Amino acid sequence: MAQRPLPVFAVAIALAASATEVAIAHAPPEAIEAEARAEVARHPDDAAAHLAAGRMHQAARAWDAALAAFERARELGADPTIVAIASGQVLLDAGRPRAAALELTRALDRDPENVAARYDRGRARMALADAAGAAQDFARAIAAMREPRPEHLFAWRDALVALGDRPGAIRVLDAGIAHLGAVPSLELAALDLELRLERYPDALRRLDRMLGTSAQNPAWIVRRAEVLDRLARHDEARRERVRALAMIEGRRPQRRGATLTSLAAELRRDLTTTAESQ
């Protein structure tokens, strides 16, 4: 049977879907549910209508209704791989990773190169405490992605950390940085791992590189001071704290915000304590 294109409303929701949640813009769940029912009523024997309705039920967090809609789409001739992936994603959202892994494995049996199925099965395996299997799935999925997002890399990092492979996790993050550019969240995640591994010279080089692209970031200057302290370079660390405090105080009060105001207070306390101990 020829498949009718998804309605515009459903396509918008499907495109907004991430691996972990469905983003609904300006649409309450009741409205989405009503549209799902209306779509099926308009086209009761159309597999595409049931797929669209399932996505809408998913957006409204009506898990059982979504699964039922996908099953009906399967019965009406929808692509079994698409249905298995959609069902797996709903089961993941519903907190049923074992059932999700089964559905996603069915999809991969039919299409081993399907990136969405591979990545989401990694998520399911991670939820099942199978970090090794998750890491394998994430590695294969992300390698095939044209533009992996930071959350994809964080998922792979988490699996590697769970396996005790922090150096491997740093390599994953650095590969993402090389591909995506200097993404602060990736840099900071790699920095935290370097600090846990006590790779202080590497951490210092990373911070220097980060500050090379954002020299007016007092929070990163404070992180640099902390690393210098761990390297027993206390005089340099103090100068960095003085520099960070001056940078914050040089801003207008209304531009500091709560975070920088709190950081300034912390720096004043640290500098006072250091001066009294000398």
Side-chain angles (χ1 to χ4, degrees):
M1 180 185 343
Q3 295 298 309
R4 187 175 54 79
L6 296 181
V8 172
F9 184 80
V11 170
I13 291 176
L15 291 175
S18 71
T20 55
E21 65 179 335
V22 177
I24 309 170
H26 313 299
E30 313 84 63
I32 298 171
E33 285 284 270
E35 177 61 23
R37 291 190 294 271
E39 178 62 20
V40 170
R42 285 191 294 267
H43 309 282
D45 297 321
D46 191 323
H50 289 273
L51 283 172
R55 285 299 189 192
M56 293 182 222
H57 288 306
Q58 181 182 6
R61 304 179 67 81
W63 313 129
D64 290 341
L67 292 170
F70 293 144
E71 181 56 33
R72 182 56 179 153
R74 192 197 312 263
E75 293 169 354
L76 290 170
D79 184 322
T81 302
I82 292 174
V83 174
I85 293 170
S87 298
Q89 290 170 343
V90 167
L91 289 163
L92 267 175
D93 287 348
R96 298 171 58 188
R98 192 171 304 280
L102 290 173
E103 285 287 351
L104 294 161
T105 298
R106 291 189 186 102
L108 289 168
D109 287 342
R110 298 185 181 93
D111 182 6
E113 303 308 316
N114 191 289
V115 172
R118 182 74 59 183
Y119 178 80
D120 282 337
R121 192 178 70 171
R123 292 176 55 225
R125 285 177 157 180
M126 195 66 183
L128 292 168
D130 177 12
Q136 291 172 3
D137 276 342
F138 290 144
R140 188 164 171 180
I142 291 169
M145 291 179 184
R146 184 174 301 173
E147 289 292 333
R149 297 192 299 271
E151 58 263 33
H152 297 140
L153 298 164
F154 289 145
W156 191 3
R157 171 207 60 185
D158 291 345
L160 292 171
V161 169
L163 291 170
D165 186 8
R166 288 176 179 167
I170 293 173
R171 288 193 294 273
V172 162
L173 295 170
D174 278 337
I177 292 165
H179 184 68
L180 299 174
V183 179
S185 61
L186 295 177
E187 293 278 20
L188 290 169
L191 174 66
D192 287 341
L193 288 171
E194 286 171 340
L195 293 176
R196 291 185 197 177
L197 290 169
E198 299 184 0
R199 294 182 176 180
Y200 301 135
D202 290 341
L204 191 61
R205 282 190 289 272
R206 186 178 300 277
L207 279 162
D208 287 343
R209 185 172 67 246
M210 292 164 64
L211 286 165
T213 63
S214 183
Q216 301 301 308
N217 191 317
W220 291 358
I221 294 172
V222 172
R223 295 297 299 272
R224 190 174 192 277
E226 293 168 354
V227 176
L228 288 167
D229 273 331
R230 297 191 189 193
L231 289 167
R233 293 161 61 176
H234 303 301
D235 288 344
E236 292 177 68
R238 175 179 170 77
R239 287 196 291 272
E240 288 293 76
R241 290 188 172 91
V242 169
R243 179 162 76 107
L245 180 59
M247 193 175 291
I248 296 171
E249 291 179 337
R251 300 185 182 186
R252 295 176 181 177
Q254 59 268 30
R255 292 187 58 206
R256 294 177 192 173
T259 300
L260 288 183
T261 299
S262 176
L263 181 60
E266 181 182 335
L267 285 167
R268 292 188 195 97
R269 288 193 299 270
D270 288 347
L271 289 169
T272 300
T273 300
T274 302
E276 291 174 349
S277 65
Q278 291 177 343

